[in-house]
């Protein structure tokens, strides 16, 4: 990994033969034949939460949801000297550990096996951790931030729901306080954090709130296959603090009331493609647990063994296992955010976004300072024409994070921090509009950004504004309600009967200008509205101050030069 504040690297490598130095392999299967499970009975293999998400957003249950054929698993397990480390139904593969060439040869004889390829050497648990260079800064820049007086009050002129303390600026740059002040703090949203460890999260006073309120739903370590994640690397705890810390006056995260799954998928001491497989397994776990969002400040391009390295061409969003996994997670209705990377200062192709930030479906996030200036280390989007990356940017140059002890804060550089900082606010936004699917929320976030009409390959669409995103979704919600109100009609009046006010709901049949007249019972014009309209766009036109009108039947007359119609309305 290179953590984002720094993590990077993996591309599937098909090995022609097994090499003695490798001990972990991915075995891919050709199909899911002889499977006792069926698409028509998903309750047998999907959790109720996972099914609810699919039903809620009209997501079709397909073959990727089916478990791997149990007979195939049994056959692999029957081979001597083979341990299955984890499984992926999405990509129909398992990760195994073996140092026995005969075992690999036996596996290759199975008719249902498509291919096996190495993903890691055998890690010696007794060996000391490797001191890895964190991309962008070496050593990582960690400083004590200045004290900040409460109050967005000092910025926006209002007293806020939260006293953010030191991380005020990284919330305010997105007007995140707007959502918090409306009552959206992440309640009802589940976020799965995939990282390298969450050192001391279980005793850190900054996380008292999520512990006391049972907001940590569970943990799992996919590296060591154990439950505890609190003794490993601090990177995940730093990321988590930008969302979940809740110490007023010191640091309040962007989604302090969300619920969290904390999953370790990254081994910070080494860099091998097995970490992408772990990420895939973690994402599938998150899906089964019914998570709404995955945030990952991990990414991959280069490895300790250069033969695994993802070239620039391979960072296309479609090649790396982790990019495929992230894309499938989004297809399952999960909103996935990921750090863009920290190699922006590189003179080579390494400066471009890494996997899975390269996946089109993933919201990849670059880093700025609190004034909106791009962090020089923030990775670039692809060179030349094509998709836009990163998608957006948030504060990470530096960001305020929670220290792993003592309940204090520090300043830390990296897209690792810009990613969860924004992810938490997006959780609050989705809380406000739960009827919208993941891609619609992401679209609103992009459209709210300050460079939406002039994007580039450093900022993407720019710095999102939560007030604007909220208003965009509110307007879209109104339009959807209007569409439902219209049904098969293109013009409708409400309320009927009316009293003081009358509104005309109109889905214009043409682009141009139209005239709407309110006529009395004798055909006399009471009021007239001249309106510019666009074909198929919904507009509302209001006639107000009608209280003095007599009771009776009135007429609305519509004319756009090509279409004419009338509506009868009743005044009560």
């Amino acid at each position: 990994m290179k953590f984002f504040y720094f993590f990077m690297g993996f591309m599937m490598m098909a090995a022609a033969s097994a090499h003695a130095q490798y001990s972990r392999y991915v075995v891919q299967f050709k199909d899911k034949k002889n499977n006792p499970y069926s698409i028509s009975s998903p309750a047998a293999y999907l959790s109720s939460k996972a099914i609810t998400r699919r039903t809620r957003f009209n997501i079709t249950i397909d073959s990727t949801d089916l478990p791997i054929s149990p007979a195939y698993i049994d056959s692999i397990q029957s081979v001597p000297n083979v341990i299955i480390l984890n499984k992926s139904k999405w990509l129909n593969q398992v990760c195994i550990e073996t140092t026995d060439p005969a075992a690999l040869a036996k596996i290759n004889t199975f008719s249902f096996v498509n291919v096996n390829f190495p993903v890691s050497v055998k890690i010696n648990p007794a060996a000391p951790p490797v001191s890895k260079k964190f991309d962008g800064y070496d050593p990582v820049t960690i400083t004590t931030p200045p004290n900040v007086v409460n109050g967005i009050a000092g910025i926006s002129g209002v007293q806020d729901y939260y006293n953010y303390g030191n991380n005020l600026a990284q919330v305010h740059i997105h007007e995140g306080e707007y959502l918090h002040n409306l009552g959206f703090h992440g309640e009802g949203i589940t976020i799965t954090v995939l990282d390298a460890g969450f050192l001391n999260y279980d005793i850190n006073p900054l996380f008292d709130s999520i512990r006391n309120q049972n907001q940590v739903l569970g943990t799992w370590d996919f590296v060591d296959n154990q439950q505890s994640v609190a003794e490993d690397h601090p990177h995940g705890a730093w990321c988590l603090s930008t969302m979940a810390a809740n110490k007023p006056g010191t640091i309040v995260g962007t989604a302090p009331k969300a619920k969290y799954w904390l999953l370790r998928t990254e081994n910070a001491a080494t860099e091998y493609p097995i970490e992408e497989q772990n990420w895939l397994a973690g994402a599938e776990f998150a899906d089964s647990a019914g998570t709404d969002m995955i945030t990952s400040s991990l990414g991959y391009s280069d490895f300790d063994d250069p033969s695994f390295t993802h070239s620039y061409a391979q960072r296309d969003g479609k090649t790396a296992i982790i990019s495929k996994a992230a894309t499938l997670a989004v297809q399952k209705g999960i909103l996935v955010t990921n750090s863009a990377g920290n190699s922006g200062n590189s003179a080579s192709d390494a400066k471009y976004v890494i996997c899975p930030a390269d996946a089109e479906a993933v919201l990849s996030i670059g880093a700025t300072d609190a004034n909106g200036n791009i962090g020089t280390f923030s990775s670039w989007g692809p060179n030349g024409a094509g998709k836009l990356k990163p998608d957006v940017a948030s504060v990470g140059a530096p960001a305020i994070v929670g220290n792993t002890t003592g309940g204090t804060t520090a300043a830390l550089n990296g897209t690792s921090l810009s990613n969860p900082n924004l992810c938490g606010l997006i959780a609050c936004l989705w809380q406000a509009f739960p009827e919208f699917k993941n891609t619609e929320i992401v679209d609103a976030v992009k459209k709210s950004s300050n460079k939406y009409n002039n994007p580039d390959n450093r900022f993407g669409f720019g710095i999102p504004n939560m007030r604007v995103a909220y208003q965009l979704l509110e307007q879209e919600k109104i339009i959807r309600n209007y569409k439902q109100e219209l049904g098969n009609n293109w013009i409708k009046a409400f309320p009927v009967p009316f009293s003081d006010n009358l509104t005309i709901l109109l889905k214009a049949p043409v682009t141009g200008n139209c005239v709407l007249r309110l006529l009395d019972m004798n055909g006399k014009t009471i009021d007239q509205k001249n309106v510019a309209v666009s074909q198929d766009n919904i507009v509302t036109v209001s006639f107000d101050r009608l209280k003095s009108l007599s009771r009776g039947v009135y007429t609305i007359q519509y004319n756009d030069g090509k279409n004419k119609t009338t509506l009868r309305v009743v005044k009560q």
Side-chain angles (χ1 to χ4, degrees):
M1 126 225 103
K2 282 190 181 169
F3 292 119
F4 283 163
Y5 122 106
F6 303 164
F7 290 22
M8 306 181 44
F10 170 76
M11 157 65 197
M12 185 181 81
M13 179 186 114
S17 61
H19 299 287
Q21 69 266 34
Y22 300 122
S23 66
R24 298 176 183 195
Y25 299 80
V26 164
V27 179
Q28 288 184 339
F29 303 121
K30 293 179 180 178
D31 52 50
K32 292 184 176 180
K33 292 181 179 178
N34 304 314
N35 200 317
Y37 302 102
S38 68
I39 292 173
S40 60
S41 301
Y45 52 87
L46 287 178
S47 69
S48 60
K49 288 185 177 180
I51 293 173
T52 297
R53 186 185 337 103
R54 286 159 173 76
T55 302
R56 174 182 167 195
F57 297 122
N58 297 314
I59 298 170
T60 301
I61 294 172
D62 60 26
S63 61
T64 61
D65 292 306
L66 288 173
I68 298 170
S69 297
Y72 298 171
I73 299 294
D74 291 343
S75 295
I76 299 297
Q77 287 179 324
S78 71
V79 177
N81 302 318
V82 170
I83 299 172
I84 294 179
L85 300 176
N86 58 52
K87 298 174 282 188
S88 167
K89 61 184 179 182
W90 287 356
L91 297 186
N92 200 24
Q93 62 193 37
V94 296
C95 184
I96 65 169
E97 181 174 350
T98 185
T99 56
D100 185 355
L104 289 174
K106 176 64 175 176
I107 288 171
N108 284 334
T109 66
F110 294 147
S111 61
F112 53 83
V113 170
N114 183 42
V115 68
N116 76 74
F117 51 89
V119 290
S120 178
V121 298
K122 181 173 178 59
I123 307 300
N124 180 3
V130 177
S131 178
K132 300 191 69 176
K133 179 180 183 294
F134 293 132
D135 193 30
Y137 288 94
D138 187 20
V140 177
T141 302
I142 304 179
T143 61
T144 301
N147 290 327
V148 178
V149 178
N150 177 46
I152 233 125
I155 296 177
S156 64
V158 298
Q159 185 64 37
D160 291 305
Y161 184 85
Y162 287 123
N163 179 349
Y164 298 98
N166 294 326
N167 70 319
L168 168 64
Q170 67 201 46
V171 175
H172 180 66
I173 197 171
H174 301 293
E175 280 202 81
E177 71 276 8
Y178 177 79
L179 296 178
H180 294 161
N181 293 343
L182 287 177
F184 304 113
H185 318 117
E187 292 94 339
I189 300 295
T190 299
I191 302 172
T192 295
V193 188
L194 304 180
D195 216 289
F198 303 84
L199 183 66
N200 293 333
Y201 90 90
D202 56 340
I203 59 174
N204 192 329
L206 295 179
F207 298 124
D208 282 352
S209 179
I210 60 170
R211 292 196 304 270
N212 293 339
Q213 300 301 319
N214 298 316
Q215 290 170 237
V216 178
L217 298 178
T219 63
W220 188 256
D221 184 337
F222 286 89
V223 177
D224 293 331
N225 283 320
Q226 63 182 25
Q227 188 162 0
S228 177
V229 296
E231 69 282 353
D232 300 299
H233 202 278
H235 185 263
W238 291 331
C239 294
L240 180 64
S241 71
T242 68
M243 298 181 288
N246 193 355
K247 185 178 180 181
T250 300
I251 180 174
V252 178
T254 51
K257 295 298 182 181
K259 294 184 178 179
Y260 294 91
W261 284 95
L262 308 181
L263 308 181
R264 181 186 180 219
T265 63
E266 166 65 36
N267 184 348
T270 63
E271 189 82 320
Y272 283 96
I274 190 171
E275 294 156 26
E276 292 196 43
Q277 173 69 24
N278 293 343
W279 198 102
L280 168 62
E284 291 189 28
F285 175 89
D287 174 38
S288 68
T291 199
D292 300 297
M293 304 176 69
I294 289 174
T295 184
S296 161
S297 290
L298 306 173
Y300 303 88
S301 63
D302 58 333
F303 295 89
D304 292 349
D305 181 341
S307 66
F308 291 114
T309 293
H310 298 315
S311 68
Y312 171 76
Q314 291 166 341
R315 280 174 273 152
D316 58 0
K318 302 175 182 178
T319 301
I321 284 179
I322 195 171
S323 300
K324 293 177 182 178
T327 298
L328 280 162
V330 174
Q331 291 174 358
K332 305 301 180 187
I334 299 170
L335 198 158
V336 180
T337 73
N338 207 93
S339 301
N342 302 294
S343 295
N345 289 319
S346 174
S348 68
D349 283 348
K351 74 178 183 180
Y352 299 109
V353 295
I354 40 52
C355 310
D358 63 331
E360 184 175 357
V362 170
L363 188 72
S364 57
I365 301 171
T368 70
D369 64 19
N371 295 315
N373 302 306
I374 197 70
T376 59
F377 60 82
S378 187
S379 290
W380 294 63
N383 185 20
K387 68 187 179 187
L388 181 72
K389 289 290 175 177
D391 294 290
V392 292
S394 184
V395 176
I400 302 303
V401 303
N403 277 319
T404 53
T405 58
T408 59
T409 60
L412 180 63
N413 283 298
T415 58
S416 275
L417 297 318
S418 60
N419 165 52
N421 183 61
L422 182 57
C423 174
L425 293 177
I426 295 172
C428 299
L429 182 67
W430 206 359
Q431 176 194 355
F433 298 95
E435 66 272 34
F436 287 83
K437 58 186 179 181
N438 55 349
T439 53
E440 293 168 333
I441 296 296
V442 166
D443 187 55
V445 170
K446 292 177 181 177
K447 287 180 177 177
S448 77
S449 301
N450 65 338
K451 292 177 67 66
Y452 182 71
N453 293 319
N454 186 32
D456 58 39
N457 63 353
R458 297 308 312 278
F459 290 89
F461 291 112
I463 300 170
N465 183 292
M466 291 299 111
R467 180 192 297 267
V468 174
Y470 182 93
Q471 291 169 347
L472 287 170
L473 289 168
E474 183 68 27
Q475 181 62 30
E476 179 61 27
K477 182 177 180 179
I478 291 170
I479 290 173
R480 290 185 180 187
N481 291 338
Y482 284 163
K483 286 181 179 178
Q484 185 175 2
E485 182 76 21
L486 278 171
N488 295 325
N489 303 310
W490 61 270
I491 186 169
K492 191 171 183 179
F494 65 93
V496 177
F498 69 93
S499 178
D500 295 349
N501 302 288
L502 179 65
T503 298
I504 308 304
L505 184 60
L506 172 66
K507 185 178 181 181
V510 297
T511 297
N513 295 298
C514 72
V515 178
L516 285 162
R517 293 186 177 91
L518 175 62
L519 308 178
D520 67 12
M521 290 168 278
N522 298 314
K524 180 182 177 181
T525 299
I526 299 170
D527 198 358
Q528 175 177 310
K529 305 288 185 181
N530 299 303
V531 184
V533 294
S534 298
Q535 186 173 0
D536 293 332
N537 284 352
I538 294 177
V539 297
T540 59
V541 182
S542 295
F543 295 95
D544 51 16
R545 297 186 297 274
L546 305 179
K547 188 174 183 179
S548 62
L549 291 183
S550 302
R551 294 181 179 181
V553 178
Y554 292 80
T555 301
I556 296 293
Q557 187 180 82
Y558 171 91
N559 187 348
D560 60 28
K562 294 182 179 179
N563 305 278
K564 296 181 180 180
T565 192
T566 58
L567 299 174
R568 295 288 188 267
V569 292
V570 176
K571 172 70 165 64
Q572 63 181 3

